[in-house]
Amino acid sequence: MGFFERYLSLWVALCLLAGVLLGSWVPDVFQAVAALEMAHVNLPIAAFIWLMIYPMMVQIDFAAIKAVRKQPQGLLLTIVINWLIKPITMAALGWLFFRVIFADLVDPQSATEYIAGMILLGVAPCTAMVFVWSQLVKGDANYTLVQVSLNDLIMIVAFAPIAAWLLGVSNIIVPWDTLMLSVLLYVVAPLLAGVLTRRWLLSTGSTERLNTFLQTVKPLSIIGLLATVILLFGFQAETLLTKPEMVMLIAIPLLIQTYGIFALAYGAAKLMRLPHRIAAPACMIATSNFFELAVAVAISLFGLHSGAALATVVGVLVEVPVMLSLVAFANHTRHWFTT
């Protein structure tokens, strides 16, 4: 791990703080940045998200999908958790907390938007940060590539229908064109760019040239992530400072969801007798979220200052420190599994 990746949680915390402070000190600047949008998509955020995702996408090798036939159990576990269990449990927890437990603390409109944001997080399985978590738990890099590749393929066709269905259950009308545009912008386009770049590098050079390129652009992912965090928290600075209790209320079901899904996946992996190099990354992929896509869709559907956008931003707040704690747990329990 490089210096920035090693202390990623610290940089995220500092950028979170910087975003909130800058957003409160120079709100006009962030309002101007927020106004830079096209088709309900914020262009600066889109640029930084692309900056973060693109280097990750170059690592994906679709030819590696053939390796699934050797040990398909880990891939099956990830797919079942991501697409059959996780979206439903997130929607259920959102409804339970904001329609029942917190009903007296949150107005109905805000509750609806918070639930929507949680649903968008639950329907967006992690893509960009998966490689970081896999490396931290010493996972099988090639197997992780396969999992990410198939996850992206499934996301292209499944994200919009599942999100629309679950949001519809919450009595929210979803513009399909906005959802599909977000999937194209944040999944299909960078994935295609990554695949074409990889093929070009391999066709004009060797694996060494590809590795050199990846090492060169690798810092862009961290820069994109940190810049995105600053902007997102700058946009939400007023709400975060004036409504810290709402942040806490949203974080509670998100924490329960994250740790609960990991416990379910990790327990299932042990019962399935998966080796740790496959089990750990599979559970990390199943647990973490593609919060970039969730934030983008929330902003597109409900606006930058909506409750849905706030819920997805709280997801960013929860994501990194929680996932790092799960990485530590997975590494300390390596002896539970075969190598």
Side-chain angles (χ1 to χ4, degrees):
M1 295 293 291
F3 177 75
F4 283 102
E5 292 92 337
R6 189 181 303 275
Y7 299 101
L8 184 58
S9 58
L10 174 61
W11 310 136
V12 169
L14 291 175
C15 288
L16 184 158
L17 179 61
V20 173
L21 293 177
L22 290 173
S24 61
W25 290 341
V26 287
D28 293 342
V29 173
F30 281 86
Q31 289 175 9
V33 175
L36 299 174
E37 64 174 33
M38 180 182 296
H40 305 293
V41 175
N42 185 264
L43 298 180
I45 288 181
F48 285 130
I49 289 177
W50 253 79
L51 197 65
M52 189 183 77
I53 297 176
Y54 170 70
M56 302 290 185
M57 293 300 191
V58 178
Q59 299 181 56
I60 297 177
D61 181 9
F62 282 90
I65 293 178
K66 297 177 182 179
V68 172
R69 293 175 296 181
K70 298 179 180 179
Q71 291 181 306
Q73 298 92 338
L75 183 60
L76 178 63
L77 173 64
T78 303
I79 292 174
V80 169
I81 296 291
N82 274 337
W83 299 106
L84 299 181
I85 297 176
K86 186 177 176 181
I88 296 175
T89 57
M90 184 70 93
L93 281 172
W95 179 88
L96 174 63
F97 276 89
F98 288 104
R99 294 299 187 200
V100 181
I101 299 175
F102 298 153
D104 295 333
L105 303 175
V106 182
D107 65 87
Q109 179 59 35
S110 296
T112 297
E113 292 187 359
Y114 295 154
I115 294 171
M118 291 180 61
I119 288 173
L120 290 173
L121 282 171
V123 183
C126 187
T127 294
M129 296 300 294
V130 164
F131 299 104
V132 175
W133 311 138
S134 179
Q135 189 173 10
L136 286 172
V137 296
K138 297 180 175 61
D140 186 318
N142 292 328
Y143 203 93
T144 301
L145 286 177
V146 175
Q147 290 174 303
V148 172
S149 300
L150 285 189
N151 236 356
D152 284 334
L153 290 175
I154 295 173
M155 193 185 306
I156 290 170
V157 298
F159 176 84
I162 295 177
W165 173 61
L166 289 174
L167 290 172
V169 170
S170 300
N171 298 316
I172 298 173
I173 298 175
V174 180
W176 278 83
D177 55 345
T178 303
L179 270 174
M180 292 306 299
L181 176 61
S182 297
V183 173
L184 289 172
L185 283 176
Y186 296 104
V187 179
V188 179
L191 183 63
L192 180 61
V195 170
L196 292 177
T197 301
R198 183 184 180 88
R199 288 185 177 179
W200 176 74
L201 288 170
L202 292 176
S203 65
T204 58
S206 62
T207 303
E208 290 185 3
R209 184 176 182 183
L210 173 62
N211 292 334
T212 301
F213 177 81
L214 289 173
Q215 288 300 317
T216 302
V217 300
K218 189 177 182 180
L220 297 179
S221 292
I222 304 300
I223 294 172
L225 171 63
L226 299 181
T228 301
V229 169
I230 291 175
L231 280 184
L232 291 175
F233 281 90
F235 293 153
Q236 294 289 340
E238 182 179 357
T239 302
L240 293 172
L241 292 174
T242 58
K243 298 181 179 179
E245 70 281 0
M246 289 298 103
V247 174
M248 293 298 298
L249 293 182
I250 296 170
I252 291 172
L254 289 180
L255 287 170
I256 293 173
Q257 164 80 359
T258 304
Y259 284 115
I261 287 294
F262 179 83
L264 177 64
Y266 211 56
K270 182 168 176 54
L271 291 175
M272 295 168 68
R273 298 182 179 179
L274 295 177
H276 190 270
R277 60 185 174 79
I278 292 177
C283 296
M284 296 298 162
I285 296 171
T287 304
S288 54
N289 301 310
F290 189 0
F291 55 78
E292 304 89 347
L293 177 61
V295 170
V297 175
I299 292 172
S300 300
L301 293 176
F302 304 101
L304 278 168
H305 304 291
S306 65
L310 176 60
T312 56
V313 169
V314 175
V316 181
L317 174 65
V318 170
E319 174 90 358
V320 174
V322 168
M323 291 305 300
L324 288 175
S325 72
L326 292 176
V327 165
F329 177 81
N331 285 332
H332 279 94
T333 56
R334 186 181 304 275
H335 61 282
W336 291 2
F337 299 81
T338 59
T339 56

